[in-house]
């Protein structure tokens, strides 16, 4: 995270991410979370107020919570500590993961129910097929199973994306822009795979050498996601400027 990043700029970016997740049809009503670390050493994070649709989130409605998901500010909004277990695990151990996003999308849950993870069926898919972690299902991620946090961190390792078996998708990033970029395209990889498999046709994949070459090309990108993030925020400023409030 840039040393010059302010709480207000993080609030606006995270609110924008909530609106965009809603815009692209990647929500589960009021469930799942996107979170971002606040500057400083206090392990404080911004997260959505519980019970709000993602399309309703604004910069000021986001709630500051501590590493256990408990409110760290006066607020009239409820928060969901149990639902923060996944985020707190990663934020506690991976300080480079400033932003954590978790979704329950149809395509993501279909792939999370399959063996094999992301297949190299498309150029988009190849960005993830060699760098997506896997975490086995342990029931609802709740505060009565805090030991799962250790396994979540272990399974994520150095990856920036993870499939939660029988559950959904997760991405992390040094910025909100990076985490959103990875979530958007991980979701696209899942949708491509589900669509391709549904045709019943024999699927073709590039050679392992070509997959390696293409994956390496993706790894050279700097400031991941910033180009599309800037464009998407322009879109929000035109169509939903209230996210900044």
């Amino acid at each position: 995270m840039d040393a010059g990043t302010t709480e207000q700029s993080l609030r606006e970016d995270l609110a924008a991410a909530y609106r965009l997740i809603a815009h692209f049809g990647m929500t589960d009503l009021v469930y799942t979370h996107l979170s971002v670390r606040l500057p400083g050493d206090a392990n404080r994070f911004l997260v959505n107020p519980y019970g709000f649709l993602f399309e309703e989130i604004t910069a000021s409605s986001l709630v500051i919570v501590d590493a256990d998901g408990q409110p760290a500010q006066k607020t009239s909004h409820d928060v969901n500590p149990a639902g923060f277990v996944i985020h707190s695990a990663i934020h506690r151990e991976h300080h480079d993961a400033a932003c954590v996003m978790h979704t329950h999308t149809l395509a993501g849950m279909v792939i999370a129910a399959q063996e094999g993870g992301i297949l190299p069926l498309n150029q988009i898919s190849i960005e993830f097929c060699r760098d997506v972690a896997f975490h086995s299902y342990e029931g609802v991620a709740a505060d009565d199973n805090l030991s799962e946090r250790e396994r979540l961190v272990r399974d994520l390792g150095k990856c920036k994306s993870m499939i939660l078996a029988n559950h959904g998708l997760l991405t992390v990033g040094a910025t909100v822009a990076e985490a959103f970029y990875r979530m958007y395209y991980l979701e696209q990889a899942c949708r491509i795979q589900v669509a391709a498999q549904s045709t019943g046709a024999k699927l073709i994949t590039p050679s392992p050498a070509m997959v390696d070459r293409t994956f390496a090309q993706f790894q050279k990108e700097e400031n991941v996601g910033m180009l599309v993030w800037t464009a998407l925020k322009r879109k929000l400023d035109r169509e939903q400027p209230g996210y900044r409030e």
Side-chain angles (χ1 to χ4, degrees):
M1 184 183 299
D2 191 297
T5 302
T6 66
E7 179 179 325
Q8 182 59 28
S9 66
L10 290 172
R11 283 181 174 275
E12 292 180 8
D13 272 1
L14 191 60
Y18 276 104
R19 296 292 186 99
L20 289 165
I21 290 287
H23 174 77
F24 289 113
M26 295 161 61
T27 69
D28 180 14
L29 298 179
V30 301
Y31 301 105
T32 74
H33 296 293
L34 319 178
S35 60
V36 69
R37 176 186 298 277
L38 287 173
D41 300 322
N43 280 332
R44 300 180 310 146
F45 315 96
L46 290 171
V47 70
N48 52 316
Y50 194 37
F52 280 60
L53 296 171
F54 282 20
E55 66 198 48
E56 298 178 293
I57 301 299
T58 63
S60 62
S61 71
L62 292 165
V63 179
I64 300 175
V65 298
D66 62 22
D68 295 313
Q70 297 293 339
Q73 67 172 77
K74 290 184 178 180
T75 176
S76 60
H77 300 311
D78 292 332
V79 294
N80 182 12
F84 196 70
V85 168
I86 292 171
H87 294 252
S88 65
I90 297 167
H91 281 308
R92 280 170 177 263
E93 301 298 328
H94 289 279
H95 286 194
D96 57 333
C99 183
V100 179
M101 299 191 178
H102 170 47
T103 62
H104 298 161
T105 63
L106 179 58
M109 290 188 291
V110 169
I111 300 306
Q114 297 181 357
E115 294 183 357
I118 302 295
L119 304 176
L121 300 178
N122 180 271
Q123 180 169 287
I124 289 172
S125 311
I126 294 173
E127 183 172 7
F128 297 94
C129 68
R130 296 283 173 86
D131 189 38
V132 61
F134 183 87
H135 176 68
S136 297
Y137 188 62
E138 297 191 30
V140 176
D143 54 6
D144 62 353
N145 184 21
L146 293 181
S147 66
E148 184 181 4
R149 296 197 290 199
E150 298 176 7
R151 293 181 288 279
L152 276 163
V153 171
R154 178 200 66 199
D155 292 342
L156 180 62
K158 295 182 179 180
C159 294
K160 295 293 184 71
S161 305
M162 183 158 69
I163 295 173
L164 305 175
N166 311 108
H167 188 172
L169 305 177
L170 181 141
T171 62
V172 304
T175 61
V176 175
E178 180 183 0
F180 181 86
Y181 170 90
R182 295 191 185 283
M183 181 57 76
Y184 178 85
Y185 282 108
L186 180 60
E187 170 70 12
Q188 293 305 304
C190 291
R191 292 184 185 186
I192 290 166
Q193 187 163 322
V194 172
Q197 291 171 329
S198 70
T199 67
K202 183 177 180 179
L203 303 179
I204 60 172
T205 57
S207 69
M210 187 55 65
V211 172
D212 287 343
R213 178 178 183 274
T214 306
F215 178 78
Q217 289 175 312
F218 278 114
Q219 304 317 298
K220 295 177 182 178
E221 185 175 352
E222 298 181 358
N223 297 318
V224 174
M226 192 56 67
L227 188 65
V228 294
W229 183 248
T230 302
L232 287 169
K233 286 184 71 177
R234 291 197 303 268
K235 176 181 177 64
L236 283 180
D237 285 334
R238 292 192 303 272
E239 300 176 5
Q240 301 181 50
Y243 79 93
R244 293 185 183 272
E245 297 176 357

